[in-house]
Every structure is written in C-alpha cells, then in structure tokens.
Amino acid sequence: MSALALSVLLSLVSAVAYAGGAILQERVATSTPDRRYAPLRRGVWWCAIGLNGLGALLHVVALAYGPLSLVQPLGALTIVFALPMAALFVRRKAGATAWRGAIMATVGLAGLLSLTSASDAGTLDAAERMMLALVTGGGVLALIVAAHAVHRHPVVRSVLLACAAGAAFGIASVFTKSVAVDWDRHVSLVEQLPSLGVIAVLAAAGVLISQASYRGAGLAAPLSTVTVVNPVVAAAVGLTLFGESFRYGTAGTVVALGCGVVAAGGLILLTTERIGDTGGVATPAPSLKVTEGPLAAAQDAPEPSEAPVAQAGQERPSTPAPRPSVSPLPALPAQHGMIRTRRRGSVPRYPLHKGQRIGS
C-alpha cells in the first residue's frame, strides 16, 4: 500500500471516530444545558473525548504519510458519516436535504482527491509559527466574544463557536504537520516543545468550544461548520506556506476550486437540515368549547344512542328510544337594521330611514 493510500484510509477511520464523538457531544449538550464547555461528571462526555482523541491520533499519522491539502478535506467526511451513524445508534434520521448535502460533499471531496498531488515535506520556521499562533489565538478569541454577544440567537451563536473550533483544529493540524516533518528530520524534542504546547492548547480549545457549540443548535449546523472551516483553514496554510499544489497546473487548480465549492455547498445544505427525531406526532388543533349558557349544557350532553332497527319478521320495541333534549339557543341581540322580535300584544317596530314617515 502506498503512502498516499494509507493516509486516505487513516483519514476515513479518523472521520468515523470524530463522527461518533460529535454525536455523543451533542447528546451531552442536550441533556446538560447548564454545562457549556466541560461536563466533567458525565461518563458519556469522556467517551466522546476518547473518540476525538482516537480520531486525532489517526489524523496525526495520516498527516505523516500524506499532504495537508489532502488529509484535511477528508475530515469533512465526518458529517457524511454522522448521518447514518446518528440514525443507526441514536434513532435520529436525516431528511432529503441532508442526504443531498452529503452526496454533494462526497463528490466534491472525490474531485479534490483526484487532483491533489503530494509535494516535498515542508515545515514552518520559528517566526512563522509564532505569527500563526498569535493570529489564530486572536481570531478564536474574537469569535468567542462575538458568540457571547449574540447569545439570544442560538443558531448564530453556535455557528460562530463552531468557526472558532474549526479554526483551532485546522491550525493544530498545521502545527502537527510541522512537528511530524521535524521528527523525520531528527529534530530534538526540546526544540519541538513550543509547537507541542501550541498543539495541546489548540486541540483542547477546539474540543471545549465545539462542546459549547452543540448547545441549543442540534448536531448538523455546528458539526458541518467545523468540518468546513477546519479543512479550509488548514488547506489554505498548506497551499501558501508549505508549497503544496494541485495537478495539471492552473486548470487543475481551477477544477479543484470548483470541487471545493461543490463540497462546501453540500455542507451548507447540511446546516439547513437539522438531524432530529422524525417520528413526531402532529398536535391536534384545539377545539372551541362553550363554558357558559345553554350551549354549554347542550355540548356536555351525552350523544344519543341509536334505537335498534326492527328487521323483517320482528316486532318493533314498544318503548321508543328517548330523544335527546336540546336546549334552546340563546336569542340573538337586536341590531340596527334588523326587525326586532315581536312580542304578544306589542306593535312590531321597524327601523326608519332618514326622511321616512310612519305608515309610508
């Protein structure tokens, strides 16, 4: 098996692990809304952390064998795997819009796979790593502040937090790629400690922020946002700083960008379709009921029982079935332009128009 094929296989297994972790995180966020970032007392949350850790480990190994612009887009398959896994394990089915989005994302990623070309292993120097870490930290902090400012809109808040988590994961992958290259070049561990510290901080921040993004917004919107922002940020860094490219020159780059647009469009469709229970029962419309007056007595009266019908050769029952008593309807109030009710011994009164005399 070639190194490129091994990186693809590891990336697929990593996406499955990430999908399982995301499903568990969303369930924890739904059951414990008061714990936004770290529900430490929930065993299910620690299972989600374990799955995310397994996905991250496989992702690191995949980055060691394949280019960054190839491995990162495969992470977008997390939402594609999350659809059938959510329907199978937690009985949450996705609608037709979500499946169309999943197909579009798969086709777009397949195009990126066919056009990605491996390049020589590249890394970042100390100045570039410092600048990238500062810019990422400032951007993530700004997104968190903006999310707290729009806390009254759960979906907007969730998308902003998911963007912050995706950026943290993407830049963590960039630093992981640099550390993997330095490890192959036999760079001492002491020199890699700053990069390992940045990876740990960004990965932990991404997990905690993504946990907060699932609160009040379901699974599809935050997960699809993370899966879009993560590869876009990492692939942009890989193409600009690592010198990675696509096949067939300019034409291949244009087609690859088109495939990226298709994949992004599919993930956007996934945000419009919330993965939820489809077995809901429609609530019947409330019926109008009169609580006072004679209509209330008529409404509360039991329905009349049908009298048995005499068949041929049988005698009819001597006692007929009792008829239900119906209370009289209330009299309508007299209005202008209508004839008032005539009483015994009284003269009917008719409305007079302007200029009309009695008897005319």
Side-chain angles (χ1 to χ4, degrees):
M1 181 181 292
S2 64
L4 189 62
L6 181 60
S7 66
V8 171
L9 179 61
L10 292 174
S11 299
L12 293 178
V13 180
S14 174
V16 173
Y18 278 132
I23 293 173
L24 294 181
Q25 281 186 282
E26 191 272 336
R27 289 181 62 85
V28 171
T30 303
S31 58
T32 56
D34 54 333
R35 301 295 181 89
R36 299 181 180 181
Y37 295 98
L40 301 177
R41 297 182 179 180
R42 295 296 303 274
V44 179
W45 185 74
W46 287 108
C47 293
I49 296 301
L51 288 174
N52 287 325
L54 176 62
L57 179 62
L58 296 174
H59 186 75
V60 169
V61 179
L63 285 174
Y65 287 97
L68 185 65
S69 56
L70 168 65
V71 175
Q72 285 303 123
L74 284 175
L77 289 175
T78 300
I79 184 63
V80 179
F81 292 144
L83 292 177
M85 289 175 63
L88 180 62
F89 295 108
V90 296
R91 299 296 187 270
R92 291 189 177 184
K93 299 181 180 180
T97 304
W99 283 111
R100 284 196 297 268
I103 293 174
M104 290 177 61
T106 304
V107 171
L109 290 173
L112 287 176
L113 284 175
S114 62
L115 292 172
T116 302
S117 62
S119 60
D120 296 335
T123 184
L124 300 176
D125 55 26
E128 291 175 338
R129 297 184 188 187
M130 179 64 68
M131 179 190 66
L132 190 59
L134 293 177
V135 171
T136 304
V140 169
L141 183 60
L143 288 172
I144 293 175
V145 173
H148 282 278
V150 295
H151 63 279
R152 296 184 179 179
H153 305 280
V155 177
V156 179
R157 181 194 60 83
S158 172
V159 170
L160 291 175
L161 290 176
C163 288
F169 284 136
I171 301 302
S173 298
V174 173
F175 277 88
T176 303
K177 178 66 175 178
S178 299
V179 170
V181 173
D182 292 341
W183 184 268
D184 292 337
R185 295 178 179 178
H186 304 286
V187 179
S188 63
L189 183 61
V190 177
E191 296 181 6
Q192 297 183 15
L193 286 179
S195 298
L196 292 175
V198 172
I199 293 172
V201 171
L202 290 178
V207 171
L208 298 179
I209 297 172
S210 64
Q211 177 64 53
S213 68
Y214 291 115
R215 186 174 62 90
L219 177 66
L223 182 57
S224 58
T225 303
V226 170
T227 53
V228 168
V229 175
N230 185 352
V232 166
V233 170
V237 175
L239 292 172
T240 55
L241 299 181
F242 287 160
E244 297 177 355
S245 61
F246 296 101
R247 296 177 181 176
Y248 309 115
T250 305
T253 303
V254 173
V255 176
L257 291 176
C259 293
V261 171
V262 173
L267 294 175
I268 291 173
L269 283 180
L270 289 171
T271 61
T272 63
E273 181 77 7
R274 175 173 177 171
I275 300 176
D277 296 332
T278 57
V281 180
T283 303
S287 58
L288 298 177
K289 185 175 181 180
V290 182
T291 58
E292 297 180 359
L295 285 180
Q299 190 176 25
D300 295 335
E303 296 182 358
S305 58
E306 296 182 358
V309 180
Q311 299 180 358
Q314 297 182 359
E315 297 181 357
R316 294 182 178 271
S318 58
T319 304
R323 295 185 178 181
S325 59
V326 180
S327 301
L329 296 177
L332 296 176
Q335 300 179 0
H336 179 72
M338 298 179 60
I339 302 177
R340 296 185 179 180
T341 305
R342 182 176 180 181
R343 298 180 181 177
R344 184 176 299 177
S346 62
V347 180
R349 300 177 181 178
Y350 297 92
L352 298 179
H353 298 285
K354 186 176 181 180
Q356 184 180 7
R357 298 179 179 179
I358 300 177
S360 60

